[in-house]
Amino acid sequence: MLELGIGAGALEVVCLGAHPDDIEIGCGGTLLRLASRPQTSVTALVLTGTPERVGESEAALERLCPGTRLHCAGLPDGRLPEHWGAVKQALEDLAATHRPHVVLAPRADDAHQDHRIVGELVATTWRDALVLHYEIPKWDADLRPPTHYVALDEETARRKFAVLDASFPSQHGRDWWDEETFLGLMRLRGVECRARYAEGFSSSKVLVGLDGARGGAGS
């Protein structure tokens, strides 16, 4: 399967989540791969979260991609559509100091209202970045075919779940929180892109470079 790379050189990545654990569930394997990439900086923003939950996310991100800087907007969980202006402002405040090459965010058609509003606002906040929307398995059954994949080997996929399980004890009581859920989805996405495991993403706009040199964001 033809692989489109983002090229060498410095890479700035911004990760967005409505809640602590969104980023880690949606793109934890990708962060593990980015951790070994030279000249890569990662900044994360979650819009909601109690101090306990934000602490869990901080621990998880440090295990996945050491040096990741986490910010929390402190907005009400489950009520982000009521706080559209505050969500937009939190993203704009981050954009004022960060011009990333890649933004990882929830899908704009996610069934959860908090995820969805974050996904919808990304493209109008960072217009020149490659925006990759990650997926989160849930009882709403809203998964769609991805447009892009990040391949993962078995060690990385299993490491992702190990980090999730160690970092988020508050979620252990969830009936969907187990290794089968996360490895099963990553295995399915791997089948789709001819890899052992993978994480799936969707993107509405990608610039493809054909001259062999790295171009702007999205090439």
Side-chain angles (χ1 to χ4, degrees):
M1 189 173 187
L2 180 65
E3 182 174 303
L4 301 176
I6 57 176
L11 183 70
E12 182 173 357
V13 179
V14 163
C15 302
L16 304 174
H19 319 101
D21 80 16
D22 287 351
I23 294 168
E24 296 85 350
I25 291 172
C27 56
T30 300
L31 290 175
L32 283 168
R33 291 200 56 185
L34 286 172
S36 62
R37 188 185 189 281
Q39 301 182 73
T40 300
S41 63
V42 180
T43 302
L45 169 67
V46 291
L47 278 301
T48 73
T50 63
E52 175 193 8
R53 296 274 282 126
V54 173
E56 290 179 331
S57 188
E58 288 176 334
L61 290 171
E62 184 61 25
R63 288 165 171 155
L64 292 169
C65 191
T68 297
R69 300 177 297 277
L70 176 64
H71 306 272
C72 179
L75 298 175
D77 186 356
R79 297 290 186 271
L80 290 188
E82 296 180 19
H83 300 271
W84 188 98
V87 174
K88 179 65 171 175
Q89 189 61 56
L91 269 59
E92 293 287 356
D93 288 347
L94 188 62
T97 55
H98 292 76
R99 298 187 62 185
H101 302 95
V102 180
V103 179
L104 304 172
R107 286 198 344 250
D109 62 348
D110 192 294
H112 193 296
Q113 69 278 359
D114 287 355
H115 300 167
R116 188 166 59 249
I117 190 172
V118 177
E120 289 172 346
L121 289 173
V122 175
T124 58
T125 304
W126 287 280
R127 296 181 181 273
D128 293 326
L130 171 61
V131 179
L132 296 175
H133 297 274
Y134 57 73
E135 55 187 355
I136 300 177
K138 62 181 74 67
W139 70 270
D140 305 86
D142 65 349
L143 296 179
R144 306 282 190 274
T147 61
H148 295 70
Y149 300 85
V150 172
L152 308 173
D153 59 25
E154 183 165 351
E155 180 181 357
T156 302
R158 293 189 180 278
R159 174 63 178 159
K160 171 184 173 177
F161 175 71
V163 169
L164 285 171
D165 209 41
S167 303
F168 293 101
S170 66
Q171 303 304 294
H172 288 180
R174 307 283 187 177
D175 57 7
W176 48 268
W177 187 276
D178 57 43
E179 189 176 42
E180 285 184 299
T181 298
F182 299 114
L183 285 184
L185 179 57
M186 287 187 284
R187 179 68 185 110
L188 176 62
R189 296 315 187 202
V191 168
E192 294 170 352
C193 69
R194 298 290 181 97
R196 180 61 184 171
Y197 292 95
E199 289 179 333
F201 299 87
S202 298
S203 185
S204 61
K205 186 183 293 187
V206 178
L207 176 64
V208 179
L210 299 178
D211 59 3
R214 180 176 177 177
S219 61

